[in-house]
Amino acid sequence: MTEFFTTVSQIIAHTPFWAWLILLFLIWRGLGSTVPREMGPARLLLMPLALLLLSAWSVFSAGISAAIAAGLAIGVLAGLAAGLVLEWRNPATNLGNGRIRVPGEWTTLVVILVVFLTRYSRSVADIMAPDLAASTPFLVAVGAFSAFSTVLLLTRTALRLRAMQTPMLSLAHGGPAS
């Protein structure tokens, strides 16, 4: 058990300071999503696009292999389903003038942390356990977590952009608002 804590403390100590700053910023942004807020298209797109870039970097830095492709396929399907369900359960409200009201939720914070930890784990494995980093299960997991997180956020964002354009459509019930 002592070896485990020694390894963890070495990983933490060798993590660049800027990585901790990025993590703090991401947590701050994720906590902002826990309260209801009004958003325009630019603000709505910022975080999902940033996480798309981070996820793509994590996946493509490993190179595309059959394992990564399998993980991506699993993650895309699961992320699409989760994004549809989450937005159906707690939809955004069109306020007009190109703005929506987004309910507070914890999903965004969790997804942000999953993306960061996937990239962080990938970097640590590359350095400390290259055999693990090259293994099929690890590559499938990296692809799946990256795709799931990104597609979940992009699906919700697409539905929210759609809500901005269709004021008479209630996404929660699939038909006209009553």
Side-chain angles (χ1 to χ4, degrees):
M1 190 66 140
T2 304
E3 184 179 320
F4 171 77
F5 288 115
T6 301
T7 302
V8 169
S9 61
Q10 285 178 341
I11 291 169
I12 291 169
H14 288 93
T15 298
F17 183 70
W18 58 263
W20 299 121
L21 292 177
I22 290 172
L23 178 59
L24 287 174
F25 172 75
L26 292 173
I27 290 171
W28 174 70
R29 291 292 300 179
L31 287 173
S33 68
T34 64
V35 295
R37 61 220 176 271
E38 292 182 18
M39 302 174 84
R43 185 169 168 215
L44 183 63
L45 287 166
L46 181 64
M47 187 59 71
L49 292 178
L51 291 177
L52 173 64
L53 293 174
L54 186 59
S55 291
W57 178 28
S58 182
V59 168
F60 293 117
S61 67
I64 296 296
S65 65
I68 288 280
L72 289 173
I74 292 165
V76 165
L77 293 175
L80 181 62
L84 290 169
V85 168
L86 289 170
E87 195 60 24
W88 177 77
R89 287 185 177 175
N90 211 6
T93 305
N94 187 339
L95 299 174
N97 299 325
R99 299 190 60 77
I100 58 170
R101 181 159 192 69
V102 178
E105 42 80 21
W106 290 87
T107 304
T108 301
L109 175 61
V110 171
V111 168
I112 287 169
L113 293 176
V114 166
V115 170
F116 180 87
L117 290 172
T118 299
R119 179 66 193 147
Y120 187 79
S121 299
R122 174 80 191 150
S123 297
V124 169
D126 282 343
I127 294 166
M128 297 189 70
D131 289 343
L132 172 66
S135 71
T136 298
F138 188 82
L139 293 173
V140 169
V142 166
F145 282 124
S146 295
F148 173 80
S149 304
T150 303
V151 171
L152 184 151
L153 286 182
L154 289 174
T155 299
R156 292 175 69 201
T157 300
L159 291 172
R160 289 171 177 179
L161 287 170
R162 180 176 173 221
M164 282 182 185
Q165 303 302 316
T166 54
M168 297 304 293
L169 183 65
S170 171
L171 295 176
H173 303 291
S178 35

